[in-house]
Amino acid sequence: MTAITWSRDLETGIEVIDEQHRRIVDYINELEAASREDDRESIGGVIKYLVNYTVSHFSFEESLMEDANYQFIDPHKKIHALFIRRVNEFVNRFNQGEDVATELSEMLQNWLISHIQKEDFDYVEAAGEQMQKKVSGGWLSSSLKRFFG
């Protein structure tokens, strides 16, 4: 599988969310590179950072949805939970010695693009203006950049 190239058709229009999505893309691309080099230690490190960052991103995204009273937050949370469960299955397999990097990378690429273009675009359409107001300018924006940067 080849690296993901970020494109404008993946942008939600909420800058901080788009920055977080770009960082997830970077991690997926790092996983792909480590997999090509067959560097198990690097693969393990990337998986760890990718999982932690993605879980933090989901929590942040869900808090914005709650603040914006997004009506479909519960199904969106369930999608996030299912994703985390799937990724944890890969983590467990990796920890047991399996070579999961290529399979995980493919799943992540397909899932992320689909998730952004379907579920994330849905909440932006429904609650994006309220969410954008919560994050634009001020201390919140700069704090998030430090946390997720």
Side-chain angles (χ1 to χ4, degrees):
M1 187 140 231
T2 59
I4 299 176
T5 302
W6 184 263
S7 63
R8 293 188 62 91
D9 64 331
L10 295 174
E11 293 180 3
T12 64
I14 300 173
E15 184 180 341
V16 69
I17 295 292
D18 291 336
E19 288 174 14
Q20 292 172 12
H21 286 162
R22 279 191 288 272
R23 184 64 192 125
I24 294 169
V25 165
D26 290 344
Y27 279 126
I28 293 170
N29 289 337
E30 289 175 28
L31 178 61
E32 181 66 27
S35 176
R36 278 193 308 272
E37 294 181 18
D38 200 27
D39 182 348
R40 186 162 174 79
E41 186 175 329
S42 292
I43 291 168
V46 173
I47 290 172
K48 175 184 168 187
Y49 290 118
L50 174 67
V51 170
N52 290 339
Y53 190 88
T54 302
V55 168
S56 296
H57 164 71
F58 287 167
S59 294
F60 173 73
E61 190 177 76
E62 291 167 5
S63 71
L64 287 180
M65 289 180 198
E66 287 172 2
D67 289 347
N69 295 316
Y70 178 54
Q71 66 179 344
F72 299 114
I73 189 171
D74 289 335
H76 201 99
K77 284 182 174 182
K78 287 179 184 174
I79 290 167
H80 286 169
L82 176 62
F83 174 80
I84 291 168
R85 208 168 25 250
R86 285 187 68 197
V87 170
N88 281 331
E89 290 170 5
F90 280 99
V91 170
N92 290 336
R93 288 173 48 202
F94 176 81
N95 290 338
Q96 293 172 5
E98 271 189 67
D99 179 6
V100 299
T102 301
E103 184 182 357
L104 176 58
S105 178
E106 289 174 1
M107 186 280 289
L108 291 169
Q109 288 185 35
N110 293 330
W111 187 89
L112 181 68
I113 291 168
S114 174
H115 183 73
I116 291 172
Q117 292 179 334
K118 292 179 183 158
E119 287 84 12
D120 286 356
F121 282 5
D122 285 349
Y123 78 67
V124 169
E125 185 176 316
E129 187 175 322
Q130 297 95 319
M131 292 171 76
Q132 185 65 41
K133 287 178 186 176
K134 296 281 183 192
V135 298
S136 59
W139 68 269
L140 180 59
S141 180
S142 61
S143 294
L144 292 171
K145 287 179 185 175
R146 277 188 309 233
F147 183 75
F148 285 107

